[in-house]
Amino acid sequence: MPKVSIIIPFYNCPYVSEAIASALNQTYQEREIIVVNDGSTRFTEKIQPYLEQIRYIEKSNGGTASALNAGIRLSEGKYIAWLSSDDYFLPDKLEKQLEWMIKNELKICFSSFYQMNEKSEIIGEPVTLYFQNNEQMVRTLKRRNIFNGSTAIIHKKIFQEIGYFDESLLYTHDYDFWLRVAQITSIGYLDVPTVLYRIHEGMGSKKYKPGIRKELQYIRNNGR
């Protein structure tokens, strides 16, 4: 089976040890875990117990896109999975999602997910998307970011075809990348939860709303 590289960007996140543990606990064994410390000044001690089981990179702070790109460039896997350091992979995420991707000949795939709180308790039913076809999905994507990056599995060939995450975008690099991907290939969506997505006060979508709005306008103005 093909190797999957799990990239975990890390910047001052108190939940990083839970993210790493969930990556290590995958039923799919052909995987490597790359933790990219993006200039953190706090919580680095939470990584120490896992150093013999992961690849660990330290770099100066440049934002999530730069951390993802650094990990992708050093990765050995045929596929890339992104795990935010405050989120959590369910144990069969890679096994279930990759099998479905290969069966359907997809280069990129997202899934539904659960939300959880600061205590890692699941909140409500899975967050799910419904589309009649890929065209409807793309039309919706052009209006707003509908995908959770931690649910993504991406074939490495995509980065060769369209480039990496835009490091000038501190908050919307994922949305920009999904729009570029939609121009070259079909996007798969597996209606099975594979991730626990953490809702907390320190999350970027709450802290950086003005910056997010500004970047979204930039993306639209540039015809993505």
Side-chain angles (χ1 to χ4, degrees):
M1 296 294 289
K3 178 180 280 189
V4 181
S5 298
I6 304 171
I7 314 296
I8 306 178
F10 163 64
Y11 180 70
N12 292 343
C13 178
Y15 306 106
V16 65
S17 58
E18 294 180 46
I20 295 172
S22 77
L24 288 168
N25 196 37
Q26 289 297 295
T27 57
Y28 190 85
Q29 293 301 304
E30 285 298 318
R31 45 99 177 113
E32 64 174 351
I33 300 160
I34 303 175
V35 177
V36 184
N37 182 347
D38 189 40
S40 295
T41 57
R42 294 183 295 155
F43 306 117
T44 54
E45 73 280 357
K46 292 181 176 288
I47 300 173
Q48 297 299 316
Y50 302 101
L51 289 178
E52 293 185 2
Q53 299 169 278
I54 65 174
R55 296 176 66 186
Y56 180 57
I57 304 167
E58 291 184 337
K59 60 181 286 298
S60 59
N61 180 248
T64 303
S66 71
L68 283 167
N69 289 343
I72 293 165
R73 289 187 175 103
L74 291 176
S75 65
E76 298 175 352
K78 186 175 181 179
Y79 293 86
I80 299 295
W82 165 13
L83 175 56
S84 294
S85 58
D86 49 359
D87 295 341
Y88 189 98
F89 278 173
L90 293 174
D92 59 354
K93 182 240 180 5
L94 295 185
E95 181 178 4
K96 188 174 292 183
Q97 192 170 345
L98 188 61
E99 180 182 3
W100 187 81
M101 279 184 71
I102 293 172
K103 179 181 179 181
N104 289 277
E105 299 182 342
L106 294 163
K107 291 184 179 178
I108 185 169
C109 174
F110 298 90
S111 79
S112 57
F113 59 93
Y114 289 105
Q115 292 182 328
M116 64 176 170
N117 60 22
E118 295 178 352
K119 298 178 181 180
S120 303
E121 299 167 335
I122 292 177
I123 308 169
E125 298 299 314
V127 178
T128 302
L129 300 172
Y130 296 97
F131 301 104
Q132 293 180 339
N133 50 50
N134 196 74
E135 289 72 23
Q136 184 188 35
M137 179 190 294
V138 172
R139 286 198 301 270
T140 307
L141 179 63
K142 287 182 177 180
R143 294 196 298 270
R144 59 187 175 90
N145 189 359
I146 55 178
F147 296 125
N148 181 334
S150 284
T151 73
I153 296 182
I154 310 166
H155 196 295
K156 218 170 184 179
K157 283 185 178 179
I158 284 184
F159 299 99
Q160 298 168 1
E161 293 180 38
I162 67 169
Y164 293 79
F165 291 96
D166 186 341
E167 297 182 15
S168 71
L169 299 172
L170 295 179
Y171 315 115
T172 58
H173 49 277
D174 55 343
Y175 184 43
D176 170 76
F177 190 79
W178 313 147
L179 289 171
R180 286 188 280 138
V181 169
Q183 296 173 15
I184 67 162
T185 190
S186 296
I187 296 174
Y189 182 78
L190 178 64
D191 190 15
V192 174
T194 68
V195 168
L196 302 184
Y197 173 71
R198 193 182 305 273
I199 306 298
H200 60 98
E201 288 304 314
M203 62 194 304
S205 58
K206 289 188 176 184
K207 291 174 62 177
Y208 305 117
K209 286 185 178 180
I212 292 171
R213 286 195 294 268
K214 184 177 180 180
E215 288 187 2
L216 287 174
Q217 190 60 50
Y218 169 82
I219 290 170
R220 295 187 178 110
N221 290 342
N222 283 271
R224 292 287 194 244

